[in-house]
Amino acid sequence: MQKKSPLLLGLIVIAVVVLAGLVWLNSDINQKQQEGVGGLAKKGFEVMSDENPTFDAWGKNFPDYLDMYLKVETQEPIPTEFGGNLAYSKLIRYPQLTVLWAGYPFSLDANEERGHFFVQADQMDTARNNKDFLNAHGFAAFGGQPTACMNCHSGWTPWLLKNASKGENEREKWISFNSTKYWTMIKNVPEVEGVKDHTGLHGGTRMGVTCADCHNPNDMQLRVTRQAAINALVDFRGYEKDPVTGVKATREEMRTLVCSQCHVEYYFKPTGTKVKVMGESIANDVSKKWWNGTQKTYDEIDVWREGNEPTEIEVDGLELVFPWGEWKKGMPFRIEMFDEYYEKVRDVFPQDWEHKFTKAPMLKIQHPESELYSGGVHAANGVSCADCHMPYVRKGAKKVTQHNITSPLQDINGACKSCHTQSEEQLRKQILDVQQSIAYDLRSVEYATVSLIEDIKVMREKLGAMDKYQSNGKPDDKKISAVLKEVLELHRKGQMRGDFVGAENSTGFHNPREASRMLLQALDMARLGQAKLVEIANAHGIKDFKISNLGFEEIQKLNPGEIHYKVDMNGKKAGDRYYSHEEVNGAAPKELLERDKNNKPYNYKVLDSKTSSY
């Protein structure tokens, strides 16, 4: 028998070692890939379900992602030049908003957002969700927020829609859900085993956005879970419904659509019908009164207590709707699309509120990031929301998306430099230069609109003093508004444009050209409105009418300061601070106010020094 040569044996040994190495390497790569997507194939994997969307339940499988997401709970809030997550009062930084939103609860309380983790807690705490406080502080007609306001604020929303809303089918449940009072619906958040504090931030009633809002529990693919978004995408924008992912879309599309569930403009459309919803038995307890002595209809707290129980009542129906009827799939958004849409539904939905001073039928824009972004250069080049706001980061050997979702300015290297070659400092200065330019345009519009409001207010008083515009010896608002109809429309549409850019959280960066275009329209509308008032004054022989032109110093006199109680109520004394958390509703950092002072009029010597040489 012929012996095998030492060379052949050596080659066999080497081949076995190489093969074993390849097998090990493949196994290691697979393990790292599994860990990178959350470890769905790892031993000890906990089954996830929409019946329990809490952090504790889903976070057992995704500890790295959960750790990133929860950092915002303990880290120091970080303001940026025009945003960040420090919850200072926007009304203190931008006092003009108190006039722009006069007659609407936002004029009393509007803070910089703290982010997805706190979004439900902030919704519960805001004075805009406190009927008793609002009624005692100048908003006597406020009936209380509907559950429609909870759609984007709680990870429990899909569960509540399915299990706590009245109705025989999905449509009935959807209308009932939106039409129920906020404080009634939130009492139905279930207590979950393992969640220590049912009224806390980690799974209880104050829990904000969760993994389940964007991910399918079976395979973690992205999905749209919010019914208003699904309705708008299917009915208006040409998407096809999908039972698993909400709508049929590519993964790259989904990396934006999951954000478009909430980062959009919306309104509450009356259905014109009565609907059965959950009520509270406290409405039948004559010993329970609001601050003014009238009967309580619900309990402003997030748990059932003291014998208060759910009942069934009938109320006017309403539906959360995205006004996207004119914005089709594949098209960039244009502000005129809102004009056309809201005009078509005006018989059903004439206004969000009537302006306190001008009596104009106003529209309050919310947070239209998706709309503005759609026509920008990043969208045109296939960049998704997640690419910038959730950039890839390294966690040990894993490559994961950043789930501490915040401003890209906090991680320019990860958010921007995967595409851009400039230095971080150069990119930061370019972003700031764009935002400062849009901020100048926005402040110009806001100051001009406040000037228009002041002038309309004066004109209403002068016309109201004339016999022809009175009824029973008093000014007749309807007669006066008829004369001012064209001016009030300019106020409505111009302020809507300014409000769009102000409510959109990028200070125009998502699409500077469109932001600047609509602000130029808004400025034109404000000044044209003032010109029309001069014509009206001349036509009525009013000799002493002069148009206003308010600037930074005059606007600062409108500063409302922090929110305090004006009357004794609910265990609080007049003069007490409304917010118990000192970091909420305070003044913006002094350097931001100094920046604003130099922005309008534009002091290039100061502002350009921060952006020069990029």
Side-chain angles (χ1 to χ4, degrees):
M1 184 175 178
Q2 191 174 17
K3 292 184 178 180
K4 294 181 179 179
S5 69
L7 178 60
L8 180 60
L9 290 172
L11 290 174
I12 292 173
V13 170
I14 292 173
V16 170
V17 171
V18 170
L19 181 61
L22 289 173
V23 170
W24 173 85
L25 180 61
N26 183 63
S27 175
D28 184 66
I29 291 174
N30 285 336
Q31 181 180 348
K32 293 294 189 295
Q33 289 176 336
Q34 291 164 7
E35 291 175 351
V37 297
L40 290 177
K42 291 192 295 185
K43 292 181 179 179
F45 176 74
E46 298 284 341
V47 176
M48 296 176 297
S49 167
D50 285 330
E51 295 302 305
N52 183 359
T54 64
F55 299 131
D56 287 344
W58 288 54
K60 291 177 182 177
N61 299 310
F62 305 96
D64 289 334
Y65 291 92
L66 184 62
D67 178 63
M68 285 187 283
Y69 183 73
L70 293 181
K71 275 186 178 179
V72 70
E73 182 179 13
T74 55
Q75 69 183 176
E76 189 76 19
I78 304 172
T80 60
E81 287 83 358
F82 299 102
N85 64 349
L86 175 63
Y88 58 77
S89 169
K90 290 184 179 180
L91 304 181
I92 294 177
R93 183 176 181 184
Y94 307 120
Q96 60 270 24
L97 298 177
T98 62
V99 173
L100 294 171
W101 296 335
Y104 205 53
F106 273 89
S107 66
L108 179 66
D109 188 14
N111 301 313
E112 184 64 41
E113 299 81 3
R114 290 198 292 172
H116 296 89
F117 178 75
F118 291 107
V119 68
Q120 173 71 332
D122 289 345
Q123 177 69 12
M124 293 172 68
D125 291 344
T126 177
R128 300 195 307 273
N129 195 16
N130 189 327
K131 172 180 165 64
D132 225 11
F133 183 85
L134 287 177
N135 289 174
H137 290 76
F139 296 88
F142 180 75
Q145 284 191 350
T147 301
C149 296
M150 194 192 296
N151 271 277
C152 292
H153 292 114
S154 174
W156 282 108
T157 293
W159 188 95
L160 291 168
L161 175 58
K162 176 184 176 183
N163 296 285
S165 301
K166 295 184 177 296
E168 299 298 324
N169 53 54
E170 288 186 3
R171 176 66 182 172
E172 289 183 2
K173 282 179 171 289
W174 170 238
I175 300 301
S176 174
F177 176 81
N178 287 289
S179 308
T180 305
K181 290 299 183 186
Y182 174 98
W183 287 108
T184 302
M185 184 57 69
I186 200 173
K187 292 178 175 67
N188 298 287
V189 171
E191 294 192 35
V192 178
E193 184 178 354
V195 176
K196 297 179 181 179
D197 185 2
H198 176 58
T199 59
L201 295 164
H202 290 263
T205 55
R206 288 179 172 263
M207 181 182 74
V209 177
T210 68
C211 317
D213 291 321
C214 303
H215 293 280
N216 188 310
N218 297 323
D219 55 13
M220 293 306 289
Q221 67 177 314
L222 295 173
R223 64 175 178 173
V224 178
T225 58
R226 295 304 191 261
Q227 191 61 48
I230 296 171
N231 291 345
L233 290 168
V234 173
D235 296 342
F236 294 150
R237 305 211 61 213
Y239 282 84
E240 184 179 347
K241 199 169 184 177
D242 186 274
V244 176
T245 58
V247 296
K248 294 185 184 297
T250 65
R251 184 175 183 276
E252 193 59 28
E253 285 180 298
M254 276 293 185
R255 283 166 61 82
T256 287
L257 292 181
V258 294
C259 304
S260 295
Q261 297 185 93
C262 298
H263 290 268
V264 295
E265 156 66 349
Y266 63 85
Y267 73 106
F268 300 154
K269 181 179 180 180
T271 63
T273 60
K274 294 288 185 179
V275 296
K276 292 180 179 180
V277 302
M278 184 180 296
E280 300 185 29
S281 63
I282 195 174
N284 302 316
D285 185 345
V286 296
S287 68
K288 302 297 184 181
K289 306 291 184 181
W290 296 116
W291 75 278
N292 60 1
T294 59
Q295 177 63 47
K296 271 203 168 188
T297 50
Y298 61 87
D299 194 10
E300 289 186 310
I301 198 169
D302 50 338
V303 293
W304 298 104
R305 63 175 181 176
E306 300 176 0
N308 187 28
E309 297 177 337
T311 62
E312 183 175 274
I313 59 175
E314 194 172 65
V315 300
D316 293 327
L318 61 84
E319 179 180 10
L320 175 67
V321 177
F322 298 174
W324 289 356
E326 308 305 313
W327 182 33
K328 305 305 179 184
K329 186 177 182 180
M331 295 174 61
F333 173 81
R334 296 287 182 254
I335 192 62
E336 291 81 2
M337 294 175 179
F338 277 177
D339 288 333
E340 294 169 10
Y341 179 89
Y342 278 120
E343 198 61 40
K344 287 181 178 179
V345 301
R346 200 159 183 168
D347 289 343
V348 177
F349 179 75
Q351 62 191 37
D352 276 312
W353 91 102
E354 180 182 271
H355 197 276
K356 180 179 179 179
F357 301 137
T358 71
K359 309 303 180 186
M362 303 302 294
L363 297 170
K364 174 69 184 76
I365 303 299
Q366 314 302 327
H367 24 61
E369 286 84 43
S370 296
E371 290 91 335
L372 188 64
Y373 149 86
S374 70
V377 66
H378 288 92
N381 285 278
V383 179
S384 71
C385 300
D387 288 323
C388 301
H389 291 273
M390 302 178 68
Y392 287 108
V393 295
R394 303 298 303 186
K395 292 282 285 186
K398 293 176 289 186
K399 180 183 178 183
V400 299
T401 51
Q402 174 59 269
H403 275 60
N404 184 8
I405 307 166
T406 184
S407 167
L409 291 171
Q410 304 303 331
D411 182 14
I412 289 180
N413 183 60
C416 307
K417 286 184 64 63
S418 57
C419 296
H420 296 276
T421 59
Q422 299 96 320
S423 69
E424 288 189 40
E425 186 60 24
Q426 285 178 309
L427 290 169
R428 185 181 300 277
K429 288 180 177 180
Q430 288 184 35
I431 294 168
L432 181 57
D433 189 50
V434 169
Q435 291 185 311
Q436 285 182 167
S437 177
I438 297 299
Y440 169 80
D441 293 345
L442 179 56
R443 299 291 90 80
S444 299
V445 165
E446 290 172 339
Y447 295 176
T449 306
V450 171
S451 298
L452 173 63
I453 291 170
E454 291 298 314
D455 293 346
I456 294 174
K457 182 181 177 182
V458 170
M459 182 57 66
R460 294 194 75 96
E461 292 172 354
K462 292 185 178 297
L463 292 175
M466 300 179 178
D467 291 342
K468 63 186 297 186
Y469 296 116
Q470 293 182 349
S471 294
N472 299 320
K474 296 181 179 180
D476 188 317
D477 282 338
K478 287 187 178 181
K479 290 181 180 179
I480 297 171
S481 292
V483 176
L484 298 175
K485 182 177 180 181
E486 189 175 359
V487 178
L488 299 184
E489 279 298 291
L490 289 168
H491 176 202
R492 170 186 170 98
K493 291 184 177 181
Q495 181 165 322
M496 182 187 78
R497 284 157 168 76
D499 202 21
F500 185 105
V501 179
E504 201 277 334
N505 284 294
S506 72
T507 314
F509 184 78
H510 286 143
N511 188 351
R513 290 177 299 180
E514 180 65 10
S516 182
R517 188 183 73 86
M518 68 177 73
L519 289 174
L520 183 59
Q521 289 182 351
L523 187 62
D524 187 43
M525 290 174 179
R527 296 310 187 194
L528 180 57
Q530 289 181 303
K532 294 290 182 181
L533 288 175
V534 172
E535 292 179 0
I536 293 171
N538 291 335
H540 288 79
I542 300 173
K543 303 296 185 181
D544 58 344
F545 178 77
K546 294 182 180 180
I547 63 171
S548 305
N549 187 26
L550 301 179
F552 180 83
E553 297 301 332
E554 292 91 346
I555 292 294
Q556 291 307 304
K557 296 175 183 177
L558 303 170
N559 186 342
E562 298 175 349
I563 305 175
H564 290 80
Y565 285 85
K566 295 180 180 179
V567 296
D568 295 347
M569 61 181 299
N570 299 331
K572 301 289 186 178
K573 295 291 185 181
D576 285 353
R577 194 174 189 271
Y578 176 80
Y579 281 97
S580 58
H581 303 293
E582 291 298 323
E583 68 274 14
V584 177
N585 196 238
K590 291 182 179 179
E591 58 269 24
L592 298 185
L593 295 175
E594 185 66 22
R595 179 183 299 280
D596 295 339
K597 180 180 179 180
N598 286 288
N599 187 265
K600 172 64 178 166
Y602 199 96
N603 186 342
Y604 74 92
K605 293 180 180 179
V606 173
L607 297 178
D608 285 2
S609 67
K610 303 177 185 299
T611 60
S612 60
S613 303
Y614 67 75

